[in-house]
Amino acid sequence: MNDHLDRRVVVLVVPAVGTWAPPGREHSAWRLALAEDTYEVLASLDRVDVAVGVVDGDEAALAELAALTWPGTPVYSVSSALDAVAAVGPAAAVVAVSHDVPDLPGLLIGKLFRALSSADIAVCPAEDGSLAAIGVSLPVAPWVADASPTFDTSLASLEAAKPRRHAVAIGPGWHRLRSPVDLARLDPGLEGWDATRSILRGA
């Protein structure tokens, strides 16, 4: 009856359209490659349910993402990262992950879930000042709902809004792929991110 008290959900949040791509590559193919690799990271996590939220996604966008996931993975349209959290149903904690972290170590997501045992919100900061992942305890604390954090929310604004010392937990940082400059952060020696690697090789 209270299974949701132990349920942990991670939501991959993907824009409905691509905003950039490496030179000579298509925006749509690049967006899907990043999303596919990030999804594979999340799907490999133990004892975590996985869903996909497509920001302002229409039926075609939802179908594109559903084709990249394992059968049974919920794929739905959302308006924001926090909306993606609210859409997953009863759970103890939810982590929303930006689609552009194809080489993200799954361990970092586990650290956010552990931090949420005492914090209202736990974040994985990105090197460019944005957020790679946002985790919240459920029900969402009123101050978090008021802050309505997105992946572009700054740590400073969350720190300024928190009502108590340990309300915000900051996990290890990572990087997002948001421009051609960010490609230098990928480590060719690391396993994974196969779809992204394939696009970069021109396959």
Side-chain angles (χ1 to χ4, degrees):
M1 182 171 63
N2 293 320
D3 288 347
H4 69 276
L5 296 178
D6 297 319
R7 182 174 180 244
R8 302 187 305 172
V9 184
V10 61
V11 184
L12 171 65
V13 181
V14 188
V17 296
T19 58
W20 79 281
R25 276 59 170 188
E26 294 181 352
H27 288 196
S28 178
W30 179 244
R31 173 186 67 100
L32 292 176
L34 295 177
E36 180 178 358
D37 286 338
T38 305
Y39 171 81
E40 290 297 333
V41 170
L42 305 181
S44 69
L45 299 175
D46 292 332
R47 298 185 295 278
V48 173
D49 293 341
V50 183
V52 178
V54 185
V55 179
D56 298 327
D58 57 17
E59 290 187 9
L62 298 183
E64 276 187 327
L65 270 299
L68 303 180
T69 66
W70 288 95
T73 299
V75 180
Y76 43 77
S77 179
V78 298
S79 59
S80 65
L82 205 60
D83 183 39
V85 167
V88 302
V94 182
V95 174
V97 180
S98 179
H99 80 296
D100 48 14
V101 288
D103 58 341
L104 180 76
L107 177 66
L108 298 191
I109 301 302
K111 288 181 180 294
L112 296 187
F113 277 119
R114 284 192 290 275
L116 289 171
S117 63
S118 57
D120 295 333
I121 183 170
V123 298
C124 173
E127 293 177 353
D128 65 356
S130 65
L131 303 175
I134 303 168
V136 296
S137 298
L138 296 183
V140 176
W143 78 268
V144 175
D146 289 342
S148 190
T150 71
F151 296 120
D152 291 321
T153 296
S154 69
L155 286 177
S157 65
L158 290 177
E159 290 288 345
K162 68 182 182 182
R164 65 182 194 283
R165 181 179 178 186
H166 298 297
V168 178
I170 302 172
W174 199 244
H175 48 256
R176 295 172 62 188
L177 302 187
R178 306 181 75 187
S179 73
V181 174
D182 298 327
L183 298 177
R185 296 185 170 109
L186 291 168
D187 182 352
L190 290 179
E191 295 183 358
W193 54 281
D194 293 339
T196 301
R197 200 186 310 259
S198 178
I199 292 286
L200 289 174
R201 288 174 176 166

